[in-house]
Amino acid sequence: MISNHAQFIAAIGEKKLIRIVFYSLPDAGTVDRECAPLDYGADSAAADPLNRYWIWDPANTAGANPLRLLPDQIASVQVLGKEFDPQAFGGVARSWLVPREWGRPAESSPPSAG
């Protein structure tokens, strides 16, 4: 886990943007981004059971969203005072591991009657 893991988790529930410095494979180096924290936990599609930090990168240059960063890829995280709207991401297709009051992602919402 990163040193300020508790603040990352709190930022998810509070819908606060973060400034994150991390090593990006597609960028072949360290990048500094303003992102939305989405979740923390294992990636069911990964071959390993390691927990990852899930973030939404609006710059979208460091790989496919959401980014799934291992703790050793992250140099620093700072919670910002700015809020984000989870609906702006179009619904992230996964079940949340960290509890929050965002509602369910669009892909897992029940079908409408009619």
Side-chain angles (χ1 to χ4, degrees):
M1 281 189 235
I2 59 175
S3 62
N4 57 343
H5 175 81
Q7 288 87 0
F8 180 91
I9 299 300
I12 293 170
E14 296 169 359
K15 299 184 228 175
K16 297 289 185 183
L17 288 172
I18 59 171
R19 176 159 300 285
I20 185 168
V21 179
F22 63 95
Y23 182 80
S24 165
L25 293 172
D27 292 316
T30 303
V31 296
D32 182 341
R33 296 278 196 274
E34 193 171 283
C35 298
L38 298 179
D39 213 355
Y40 174 76
D43 181 354
S44 61
D48 60 58
L50 301 174
N51 288 330
R52 290 165 166 77
Y53 290 88
W54 297 70
I55 63 169
W56 190 269
D57 177 14
N60 204 23
T61 63
N65 272 315
L67 300 178
R68 299 167 294 274
L69 303 175
L70 291 168
D72 63 356
Q73 286 180 266
I74 300 172
S76 69
V77 173
Q78 174 189 9
V79 178
L80 304 174
K82 303 177 197 174
E83 290 188 6
F84 65 89
D85 177 7
Q87 300 306 317
F89 311 133
V92 177
R94 72 184 306 255
S95 297
W96 301 126
L97 300 169
V98 174
R100 85 273 324 275
E101 296 295 325
W102 288 10
R104 293 192 282 183
E107 288 79 4
S108 64
S109 295
S112 59

